[in-house]
Amino acid sequence: MADADAHFTGTEVDWREVARLVLTSREMDRIEEEELVPARKVLYQFSARGHDMAQVLLGLRLRDGDAACGYYRSRPLLLALGVPLADALGSGMGREGGYSGGRDIGVVFNYPNPGGAHALPMSGGVGAQYTPAAGWAQAIRYKAEVLKERQADNIALVLGGDASCATGGFWSALTIATTQRLPLLMYVEDNGYGISVPSTYQTPGQDIAANLASFRGLTIFNGDGTDPVEAARLIDAAVSHVRQKQAPALLRLTVPRLEGHSYQDTQTYKSEEVVAAEWARDPLPKLKAHCAARQIGDSDWAELEQRVAWEVGQAREDAEARGVLPVDQVADNVFYSGKPSRVGGGAGLSLDGTHDEPRPDGQRINMVTAIRRVLEQELSANPKMAVFGEDVGPKGGVHAVTLGLQERFGVARVFDTSLNEEGIVGRAAGMAMAGLLPVPEIQFRKYAEPATEQINDIGTMRWRTDNHFAAPMVLRVPGGFFKCGDPWHSQTNEVQFVHNPGWLVAVPSNAEDAVGLLRMALRGHDPVLFFEHRAMLDDSWARRPWPGDGFVLPFGRAKKTREGDKITIVTWGAMVPRCEAAAEGVSADVIDLRTLMPWDRTAVLESVRRTRRCLIVHEDLRTGGFGAEIAAVVADEAFLDLDAPVARVTMPDIPSPHHPSLLEAAVPSVERIRAEIDRLVGF
């Protein structure tokens, strides 16, 4: 347990400013609870009463280059960072401007703050704020050590309630920050409840600081967040420690939650005695008394209250005068459309000098070599790029794709991570927002499941922040069968990523396409899921000559690998060579989509209208697989051109079986595909 400076008296704090901001927070809560929510102008409201003073004290300690990632009760921190009051109120009312232009709930905030600390986009999911903050902290270290930028003693701050300490995100960020010695301050504002559940259900002994007292690499500060002097002293000590030592700390302050979890919460689960005890700990009267001792007496306090009420009233008028986002703009900013986000992105190299037609050179190489060579070239040319994941360092990855990269580029740029996909992808989000180009690897497709929340949040970031923030990255994910199968290493399930708004999805079937798509992904402006099929990494069919150091392949451009006029076969990944073999002797268009988001609807529909038949083949399960989307589009837009029903050959709705004979019976085989071709051609 750290011992903060016992002589700290709070004289370093501008207490008048603290009082002004706390009173502002209280007045905004009051207006929402008493007027805006009853009038249904605000639909989701979370009071910060009781949490406000400590947050304000903390926010005033942040500066340019820092970043904070909060949660739904963090508005006082934003006020301390300087967020306009009309934005804060207007966002709650879903009006234009503000945090999201009405796309997201008002308490789910973000605040790009040039010249000050950014408030990173929060998530609506509890605990999801921790690992992106760890990623920002890692970017601080990376910029100092790799990019040789001037060390500004910056920090990352993350806020969470005591209930969030039970989440995987909390423990993942704690592991990352302590093992890597990152400048991350984890602030736990402990109000004793997670909605209605007391902290006895969340934390053994109800004190996360005590439980972590022996945690290696972590300095802990623990105390009362309602006492002005103690709170200011502990906050000063914690922030100073992280800045000066560039090492992590945990700050736990106990505070009361003076209202329900949200406006609708009546707190019937609390006794009258508990509620009275919480109000007895209200930091506002304590703050007023402390300010009175510092020549901010009753008249000054009343003047502050009057001034704050006027300012918040004006902000309300400004907010209510704002319109609602025009409905024709609701789909804007899902993907990059030419206008850079205010924070994040721009770390990829330019496309100048590239070409979209392959220029074959040398002997045929496998996909492993092709992918590794692109990573090596881009790492050499782009110091902002970092590759990381489980076992990607000295081992070179379980599929050998990153073999030798750490030896060449060093442990700061190609590094192993703890075994935690939430931490791998979440930290990538923070690094991307900080202006780096992260290339995280998930070892096998199935292992992406723990990172699902982060993947979703990254994809929606540009849209839900109205292009304030973006986190471009390339998430490499191997998957699919290889010699044998099993439910844990052989899943494809690409459709889940396609269904996440904001992600581009590439599924190359061969070395040439892998080169072009990966280089395009690394130089783009959106997050990309780059699927590396295990069966094709060293497959002889997938080998191709090197297509040139400047070869890029635009997303959404399919390729005909065989041409004919009797049937259109649409496929991707490991099914492409099987479809080619099955179509032997048949006049068929075989279309390799190469990317699923976006997919080349034009090429497919043009072919189907000419051949008048469509067969879709994929390795994923039949129900809800991406083939169903293609079939629906063909039925919608080319129904009158069809001479046979749209058909699919897929895996049955079962996990991938292990024994090779069982696997071969489940995965679409050349024989099954050929039988369906013959059926449709003869229809």
Side-chain angles (χ1 to χ4, degrees), residues 303-384:
E303 183 181 335
L304 272 177
E305 288 181 322
Q306 185 177 18
R307 172 186 165 194
V308 161
W310 183 86
E311 290 177 345
V312 174
Q314 287 295 114
R316 175 188 176 174
E317 289 183 16
D318 292 347
E320 294 200 75
R322 296 179 179 184
V324 177
L325 185 75
V327 294
D328 61 355
Q329 297 179 27
V330 71
D332 291 355
N333 295 320
V334 175
F335 294 103
Y336 174 78
S337 58
K339 181 180 179 181
S341 58
R342 294 177 64 184
V343 178
L349 300 175
S350 168
L351 288 170
D352 292 346
T354 60
H355 52 91
D356 62 2
E357 292 297 327
R359 299 172 184 174
D361 179 30
Q363 297 180 334
R364 289 158 57 91
I365 59 175
N366 64 14
M367 276 183 67
V368 167
T369 303
I371 294 169
R372 183 192 304 130
R373 189 165 169 182
V374 174
L375 292 174
E376 186 175 25
Q377 289 181 335
E378 297 294 303
L379 280 164
S380 296
N382 186 356
K384 295 181 179 180

Side-chain angles (χ1 to χ4, degrees), residues 67 82 165 215 219 230 260 267 343 374 378 392 396 469 492 528 614 678:
C165 297
F215 208 88
T219 302
E230 182 173 356
Q267 299 198 95
V343 178
V374 174
E378 297 294 303
V392 304
F469 287 82
T492 55
V528 177
C614 182
D678 291 342

Side-chain angles (χ1 to χ4, degrees), residues 40 132 264 314 434 560 617:
R40 297 196 60 77
Q264 291 78 8
Q314 287 295 114
K560 286 185 184 178
V617 181

Side-chain angles (χ1 to χ4, degrees), residues 406-436:
Q406 187 181 86
E407 183 178 359
R408 175 170 179 184
F409 296 102
V411 71
R413 301 194 62 203
V414 180
F415 57 87
D416 290 320
T417 67
S418 51
L419 200 160
N420 188 292
E421 287 75 21
E422 151 91 22
I424 293 170
V425 179
R427 88 168 77 179
M431 294 170 71
M433 286 187 281
L436 302 181

